[in-house]
Amino acid sequence: MHFRVVLFNALMWFSHVRAEIVFDLTWSFSNDTIYWVKARPFTFTKQDYVVEDEYAYSINEFCAAEHGGTHFDAPYHFFQQGLKVSEIDVSRLYAKGALIDLTFESQQLGRNSRLRVKHLEEWETRNGPFENGTVLLVKFGRSKYWTNRSLYFDLEGETLNFPGFSNEAAKWIVDSKKFYGVGLDTPSVDPGNTTDFSVHQLLAKNSLYNLENVKLLEELPEKGFTLIVAPMKIEDGTGAPLRLFAVLPDVK
């Protein structure tokens, strides 16, 4: 898909926005936003209200690590030959959306919950094959813990224990060659207690991007929606703050 086609699709979306429902799947950035362990959190370093003779204005300055809050992992993050944020083709940021909801299973298994191959196969049994150009969202039901860092990371001492993808599911996704990227409502596609970040490595080496700390509180269908993935275009970025929208047809 070339830039002109993407631009046309975007214009068509805006022209029909009143006939569609748009969900913002992004957590706001503030001094309280959850960031990865040891990463520099979002901080307003300056907040000014300036009064001049004929006008007044507000201006802020902030500092933050790339990987925190709702954010985008470029392949370069875990693969030095991979694309950086600014190098991702815009056509890969306008995607078909698919959702696997593992909230109930996560309630039963807790920190041991994983996206597994059976979940991907069961999704296809219900919905047919995944479409080319899909971004898969996985909902573990973790967004409800967003305001509590200890519960969100599922901390046990210094060990993180939140759910994530199994290696086998990541390989299935890669081998299908149908996905631009994946996203989920935890801090990482790898489980919290990973020691090698093998899922990150596998996805990055195959040019898939990750969307982490996605705000999944809305009731999204398993298919039939579009995702608009809008990371800050940081030159040489390994990742970036992300604004993520799900667009659904209004069936009323």
Side-chain angles (χ1 to χ4, degrees), residues 116-156:
R116 303 193 183 277
V117 170
K118 69 173 184 177
H119 300 127
L120 296 158
E121 293 175 341
E122 288 168 356
W123 189 99
E124 289 200 318
T125 298
R126 294 190 299 271
N127 298 287
F130 287 101
E131 298 182 80
N132 291 329
T134 291
V135 169
L136 173 66
L137 300 180
V138 180
K139 183 178 182 179
F140 288 100
R142 305 294 297 179
S143 289
K144 65 183 179 182
Y145 298 129
W146 178 250
T147 57
N148 187 316
R149 187 176 185 276
S150 180
L151 290 177
Y152 190 71
F153 279 114
D154 196 356
L155 289 171
E156 185 174 339

Side-chain angles (χ1 to χ4, degrees), residues 73-93:
D73 282 358
Y76 181 74
H77 182 37
F78 269 82
F79 181 54
Q80 289 195 329
Q81 288 72 51
L83 295 175
K84 300 173 182 178
V85 176
S86 61
E87 297 170 334
I88 304 293
D89 192 283
V90 67
S91 65
R92 298 177 69 84
L93 302 177

Side-chain angles (χ1 to χ4, degrees), residues 1 4 19 21 79 137 154 156 180 199 204 236:
M1 187 184 296
R4 291 180 181 176
I21 303 170
F79 181 54
L137 300 180
D154 196 356
E156 185 174 339
Y180 290 155
V199 174
D236 294 331

Side-chain angles (χ1 to χ4, degrees), residues 4-18:
R4 291 180 181 176
V5 177
V6 175
L7 179 61
F8 174 78
N9 287 338
L11 290 172
M12 289 296 292
W13 171 70
F14 279 114
S15 68
H16 291 85
V17 69
R18 291 184 179 178

Side-chain angles (χ1 to χ4, degrees), residues 49-230:
Y49 179 70
V50 181
V51 179
E52 302 290 356
D53 290 339
E54 297 182 3
Y55 62 90
Y57 64 92
S58 298
I59 186 169
N60 297 333
E61 296 178 5
F62 67 88
C63 184
E66 295 170 319
H67 299 276
T70 305
H71 69 278
F72 180 98
D73 282 358
Y76 181 74
H77 182 37
F78 269 82
F79 181 54
Q80 289 195 329
Q81 288 72 51
L83 295 175
K84 300 173 182 178
V85 176
S86 61
E87 297 170 334
I88 304 293
D89 192 283
V90 67
S91 65
R92 298 177 69 84
L93 302 177
Y94 184 83
K96 298 177 178 67
L99 176 77
I100 294 179
D101 189 343
L102 298 181
T103 301
F104 179 76
E105 184 169 312
S106 183
Q107 289 172 346
Q108 307 305 307
L109 299 178
R111 60 183 56 173
N112 296 315
S113 182
R114 301 286 184 269
L115 175 71
R116 303 193 183 277
V117 170
K118 69 173 184 177
H119 300 127
L120 296 158
E121 293 175 341
E122 288 168 356
W123 189 99
E124 289 200 318
T125 298
R126 294 190 299 271
N127 298 287
F130 287 101
E131 298 182 80
N132 291 329
T134 291
V135 169
L136 173 66
L137 300 180
V138 180
K139 183 178 182 179
F140 288 100
R142 305 294 297 179
S143 289
K144 65 183 179 182
Y145 298 129
W146 178 250
T147 57
N148 187 316
R149 187 176 185 276
S150 180
L151 290 177
Y152 190 71
F153 279 114
D154 196 356
L155 289 171
E156 185 174 339
E158 296 298 319
T159 303
L160 285 62
N161 295 287
F162 53 79
F165 288 25
S166 69
N167 291 335
E168 295 76 15
K171 187 176 186 303
W172 191 99
I173 289 168
V174 165
D175 289 346
S176 76
K177 301 187 185 304
K178 292 185 175 182
F179 296 88
Y180 290 155
V182 299
L184 75 175
D185 58 347
T186 79
S188 169
V189 291
D190 280 281
N193 60 3
T194 184
T195 58
D196 58 9
F197 290 90
S198 54
V199 174
H200 270 89
Q201 292 187 61
L202 179 59
L203 296 176
K205 289 177 181 177
N206 288 276
S207 300
L208 275 72
Y209 56 74
N210 308 324
L211 315 176
E212 296 172 329
N213 296 325
V214 177
K215 181 183 177 183
L216 289 177
L217 294 173
E218 307 291 353
E219 291 298 324
L220 294 176
E222 289 195 310
K223 63 179 296 186
F225 61 96
T226 299
L227 288 174
I228 298 174
V229 183

